[in-house]
Amino acid sequence: QVQLVESGGGLVQPGGSLRLSCAASGITFSIYTMGWYRQAPGKQRELVATITSALRTNYTDSVKGRFTISRDNAENTVYLQMNSLKPDDTAVYYCRGQRAFSAYWGQGTQVTVSA
């Protein structure tokens, strides 16, 4: 049974930081491309960042220079370090694992950026 479990969300003030974690089980984590997506109220889910098995990273333009994706294959965990948070970053953040034609999603964690 595949499980992706996100944690680390919460309420933070503008300019603050959060680190999201996604613990995976039931997959050979090291060979999966892992990603973070987000969905704000009334908007479509969008890609935030991905990291491949070869550690290549990709970011959406709005988070470049502020967010960092990383992975620990020994812990089967992918992280998203979010700095200089803005109100526009408010969303439910989802973890995704993808390999070939298989893709799995976590249940999401809420991030709210507000004064």
Side-chain angles (χ1 to χ4, degrees), residues 35-50 58-63 66-67 80 87-96 105:
W36 288 97
Y37 293 70
R38 66 186 179 187
Q39 187 167 17
K43 296 187 177 181
Q44 289 189 332
R45 192 172 297 189
E46 65 170 353
L47 169 70
V48 176
T50 59
N58 179 57
Y59 298 90
T60 192
D61 285 346
S62 63
V63 308
R66 299 189 299 122
F67 291 11
L80 186 68
D88 283 350
D89 296 317
T90 295
V92 178
Y93 283 71
Y94 297 90
C95 174
R96 180 177 186 262
W105 292 90

Side-chain angles (χ1 to χ4, degrees), residues 27-35 37 49-54 56 71 78 96-100 102 104:
I27 58 173
T28 306
F29 180 81
S30 62
I31 65 174
Y32 273 68
T33 290
M34 300 302 298
Y37 293 70
T50 59
I51 184 167
T52 70
S53 58
R56 293 191 187 95
R71 64 192 298 162
V78 61
R96 180 177 186 262
Q98 186 266 329
R99 176 179 178 266
S102 297
Y104 304 98

Side-chain angles (χ1 to χ4, degrees), residues 22-24 29 72-79:
C22 171
F29 180 81
D72 184 339
N73 290 339
E75 296 293 331
N76 289 357
T77 301
V78 61
Y79 302 98

